[in-house]
mmCIF file of all heavy atoms in Angstrom:
data_model
loop_
_atom_site.group_PDB
_atom_site.id
_atom_site.type_symbol
_atom_site.label_atom_id
_atom_site.label_comp_id
_atom_site.label_asym_id
_atom_site.label_seq_id
_atom_site.Cartn_x
_atom_site.Cartn_y
_atom_site.Cartn_z
ATOM 1 N N THR A 108 -2.020 -17.037 -7.868
ATOM 2 C CA THR A 108 -1.169 -17.999 -8.599
ATOM 3 C C THR A 108 0.281 -17.650 -8.557
ATOM 4 O O THR A 108 1.160 -18.409 -8.339
ATOM 5 C CB THR A 108 -1.612 -18.072 -10.021
ATOM 6 O OG1 THR A 108 -3.020 -18.510 -10.152
ATOM 7 C CG2 THR A 108 -0.852 -19.047 -10.857
ATOM 8 N N VAL A 109 0.509 -16.315 -8.707
ATOM 9 C CA VAL A 109 1.899 -15.792 -8.707
ATOM 10 C C VAL A 109 2.518 -15.882 -7.257
ATOM 11 O O VAL A 109 3.662 -16.207 -6.966
ATOM 12 C CB VAL A 109 2.063 -14.404 -9.277
ATOM 13 C CG1 VAL A 109 3.513 -13.913 -9.173
ATOM 14 C CG2 VAL A 109 1.560 -14.489 -10.772
ATOM 15 N N ASN A 110 1.743 -15.394 -6.237
ATOM 16 C CA ASN A 110 2.017 -15.364 -4.864
ATOM 17 C C ASN A 110 3.400 -14.711 -4.579
ATOM 18 O O ASN A 110 4.342 -15.184 -4.052
ATOM 19 C CB ASN A 110 2.058 -16.853 -4.313
ATOM 20 C CG ASN A 110 2.073 -16.862 -2.821
ATOM 21 O OD1 ASN A 110 1.566 -15.952 -2.166
ATOM 22 N ND2 ASN A 110 2.684 -17.841 -2.239
ATOM 23 N N PRO A 111 3.449 -13.381 -5.002
ATOM 24 C CA PRO A 111 4.746 -12.700 -4.911
ATOM 25 C C PRO A 111 5.043 -12.223 -3.463
ATOM 26 O O PRO A 111 4.108 -11.841 -2.756
ATOM 27 C CB PRO A 111 4.518 -11.494 -5.805
ATOM 28 C CG PRO A 111 3.050 -11.191 -5.677
ATOM 29 C CD PRO A 111 2.357 -12.568 -5.514
ATOM 30 N N TYR A 112 6.325 -12.278 -3.087
ATOM 31 C CA TYR A 112 6.730 -11.680 -1.841
ATOM 32 C C TYR A 112 6.833 -10.188 -2.032
ATOM 33 O O TYR A 112 6.575 -9.457 -1.097
ATOM 34 C CB TYR A 112 8.158 -12.303 -1.413
ATOM 35 C CG TYR A 112 8.581 -11.926 -0.111
ATOM 36 C CD1 TYR A 112 8.146 -12.328 1.022
ATOM 37 C CD2 TYR A 112 9.698 -10.914 -0.093
ATOM 38 C CE1 TYR A 112 8.493 -11.958 2.235
ATOM 39 C CE2 TYR A 112 10.114 -10.408 1.141
ATOM 40 C CZ TYR A 112 9.594 -10.933 2.306
ATOM 41 O OH TYR A 112 10.015 -10.450 3.509
ATOM 42 N N PHE A 113 7.320 -9.761 -3.260
ATOM 43 C CA PHE A 113 7.472 -8.335 -3.517
ATOM 44 C C PHE A 113 6.570 -7.989 -4.785
ATOM 45 O O PHE A 113 6.602 -8.734 -5.694
ATOM 46 C CB PHE A 113 8.858 -7.911 -3.810
ATOM 47 C CG PHE A 113 9.785 -7.803 -2.661
ATOM 48 C CD1 PHE A 113 10.779 -8.720 -2.523
ATOM 49 C CD2 PHE A 113 9.612 -6.885 -1.717
ATOM 50 C CE1 PHE A 113 11.594 -8.752 -1.447
ATOM 51 C CE2 PHE A 113 10.535 -6.729 -0.642
ATOM 52 C CZ PHE A 113 11.433 -7.662 -0.385
ATOM 53 N N ALA A 114 5.935 -6.912 -4.749
ATOM 54 C CA ALA A 114 5.097 -6.406 -5.877
ATOM 55 C C ALA A 114 5.677 -4.970 -6.210
ATOM 56 O O ALA A 114 5.650 -4.101 -5.233
ATOM 57 C CB ALA A 114 3.690 -6.355 -5.589
ATOM 58 N N VAL A 115 6.065 -4.855 -7.429
ATOM 59 C CA VAL A 115 6.583 -3.546 -7.846
ATOM 60 C C VAL A 115 5.645 -2.777 -8.748
ATOM 61 O O VAL A 115 5.208 -3.374 -9.783
ATOM 62 C CB VAL A 115 7.885 -3.700 -8.618
ATOM 63 C CG1 VAL A 115 8.537 -2.343 -9.024
ATOM 64 C CG2 VAL A 115 8.933 -4.410 -7.675
ATOM 65 N N ILE A 116 5.220 -1.605 -8.326
ATOM 66 C CA ILE A 116 4.329 -0.873 -9.118
ATOM 67 C C ILE A 116 5.021 0.399 -9.625
ATOM 68 O O ILE A 116 5.466 1.197 -8.843
ATOM 69 C CB ILE A 116 3.056 -0.388 -8.356
ATOM 70 C CG1 ILE A 116 2.346 -1.685 -7.768
ATOM 71 C CG2 ILE A 116 2.089 0.383 -9.152
ATOM 72 C CD1 ILE A 116 1.143 -1.378 -6.814
ATOM 73 N N ASN A 117 5.166 0.471 -10.923
ATOM 74 C CA ASN A 117 5.796 1.627 -11.606
ATOM 75 C C ASN A 117 4.741 2.662 -11.902
ATOM 76 O O ASN A 117 3.798 2.378 -12.665
ATOM 77 C CB ASN A 117 6.447 1.177 -12.899
ATOM 78 C CG ASN A 117 7.236 2.286 -13.569
ATOM 79 O OD1 ASN A 117 7.594 3.320 -13.012
ATOM 80 N ND2 ASN A 117 7.547 2.118 -14.837
ATOM 81 N N ASN A 118 4.856 3.788 -11.313
ATOM 82 C CA ASN A 118 3.893 4.864 -11.468
ATOM 83 C C ASN A 118 4.454 6.249 -11.226
ATOM 84 O O ASN A 118 5.405 6.373 -10.625
ATOM 85 C CB ASN A 118 2.742 4.667 -10.426
ATOM 86 C CG ASN A 118 1.332 4.795 -11.008
ATOM 87 O OD1 ASN A 118 1.191 5.648 -11.979
ATOM 88 N ND2 ASN A 118 0.459 4.070 -10.537
ATOM 89 N N ASN A 119 3.808 7.238 -11.815
ATOM 90 C CA ASN A 119 4.200 8.667 -11.559
ATOM 91 C C ASN A 119 3.357 9.198 -10.381
ATOM 92 O O ASN A 119 2.264 8.992 -10.360
ATOM 93 C CB ASN A 119 3.908 9.494 -12.898
ATOM 94 C CG ASN A 119 4.742 9.062 -13.967
ATOM 95 O OD1 ASN A 119 5.918 8.668 -13.783
ATOM 96 N ND2 ASN A 119 4.329 9.175 -15.178
ATOM 97 N N LEU A 120 4.068 10.070 -9.700
ATOM 98 C CA LEU A 120 3.286 10.782 -8.516
ATOM 99 C C LEU A 120 2.215 11.652 -9.215
ATOM 100 O O LEU A 120 2.406 12.393 -10.085
ATOM 101 C CB LEU A 120 4.252 11.626 -7.783
ATOM 102 C CG LEU A 120 3.832 12.364 -6.568
ATOM 103 C CD1 LEU A 120 3.273 11.363 -5.499
ATOM 104 C CD2 LEU A 120 4.887 13.097 -5.904
ATOM 105 N N GLY A 121 1.080 11.609 -8.607
ATOM 106 C CA GLY A 121 -0.009 12.500 -9.044
ATOM 107 C C GLY A 121 -0.558 12.031 -10.450
ATOM 108 O O GLY A 121 -1.032 12.888 -11.205
ATOM 109 N N ASN A 122 -0.500 10.827 -10.790
ATOM 110 C CA ASN A 122 -0.884 10.328 -12.149
ATOM 111 C C ASN A 122 -2.408 10.711 -12.359
ATOM 112 O O ASN A 122 -3.227 10.611 -11.441
ATOM 113 C CB ASN A 122 -0.521 8.983 -12.440
ATOM 114 C CG ASN A 122 -1.143 7.955 -11.492
ATOM 115 O OD1 ASN A 122 -2.386 7.595 -11.862
ATOM 116 N ND2 ASN A 122 -0.592 7.549 -10.541
ATOM 117 N N TYR A 123 -2.776 10.868 -13.635
ATOM 118 C CA TYR A 123 -4.085 11.237 -14.041
ATOM 119 C C TYR A 123 -5.165 10.116 -13.616
ATOM 120 O O TYR A 123 -6.215 10.496 -13.282
ATOM 121 C CB TYR A 123 -4.117 11.356 -15.531
ATOM 122 C CG TYR A 123 -5.416 11.687 -16.136
ATOM 123 C CD1 TYR A 123 -6.060 12.923 -16.056
ATOM 124 C CD2 TYR A 123 -6.206 10.649 -16.763
ATOM 125 C CE1 TYR A 123 -7.266 13.224 -16.595
ATOM 126 C CE2 TYR A 123 -7.454 10.957 -17.240
ATOM 127 C CZ TYR A 123 -7.960 12.223 -17.211
ATOM 128 O OH TYR A 123 -9.212 12.434 -17.653
ATOM 129 N N PHE A 124 -4.835 8.924 -13.624
ATOM 130 C CA PHE A 124 -5.694 7.839 -13.324
ATOM 131 C C PHE A 124 -5.770 7.452 -11.885
ATOM 132 O O PHE A 124 -6.477 6.576 -11.408
ATOM 133 C CB PHE A 124 -5.385 6.456 -14.146
ATOM 134 C CG PHE A 124 -5.443 6.840 -15.546
ATOM 135 C CD1 PHE A 124 -4.378 6.870 -16.357
ATOM 136 C CD2 PHE A 124 -6.714 6.856 -16.197
ATOM 137 C CE1 PHE A 124 -4.437 7.122 -17.785
ATOM 138 C CE2 PHE A 124 -6.858 7.021 -17.551
ATOM 139 C CZ PHE A 124 -5.684 7.167 -18.345
ATOM 140 N N ASN A 125 -5.047 8.153 -11.011
ATOM 141 C CA ASN A 125 -4.964 7.793 -9.567
ATOM 142 C C ASN A 125 -4.666 6.420 -9.267
ATOM 143 O O ASN A 125 -5.129 5.843 -8.375
ATOM 144 C CB ASN A 125 -6.288 8.216 -8.882
ATOM 145 C CG ASN A 125 -6.523 9.700 -8.931
ATOM 146 O OD1 ASN A 125 -5.549 10.529 -8.617
ATOM 147 N ND2 ASN A 125 -7.769 10.076 -9.209
ATOM 148 N N ASN A 126 -3.634 5.871 -10.089
ATOM 149 C CA ASN A 126 -3.191 4.477 -9.853
ATOM 150 C C ASN A 126 -2.013 4.617 -8.858
ATOM 151 O O ASN A 126 -1.365 5.534 -8.728
ATOM 152 C CB ASN A 126 -2.657 3.903 -11.048
ATOM 153 C CG ASN A 126 -3.843 3.547 -12.054
ATOM 154 O OD1 ASN A 126 -4.924 3.151 -11.610
ATOM 155 N ND2 ASN A 126 -3.702 3.639 -13.320
#
Side-chain angles (χ1 to χ4, degrees):
T108 300
V109 176
N110 193 29
Y112 184 76
F113 288 107
V115 179
I116 302 174
N117 183 19
N118 223 327
N119 295 325
L120 183 61
N122 65 81
Y123 177 78
F124 297 104
N125 294 317
N126 287 328

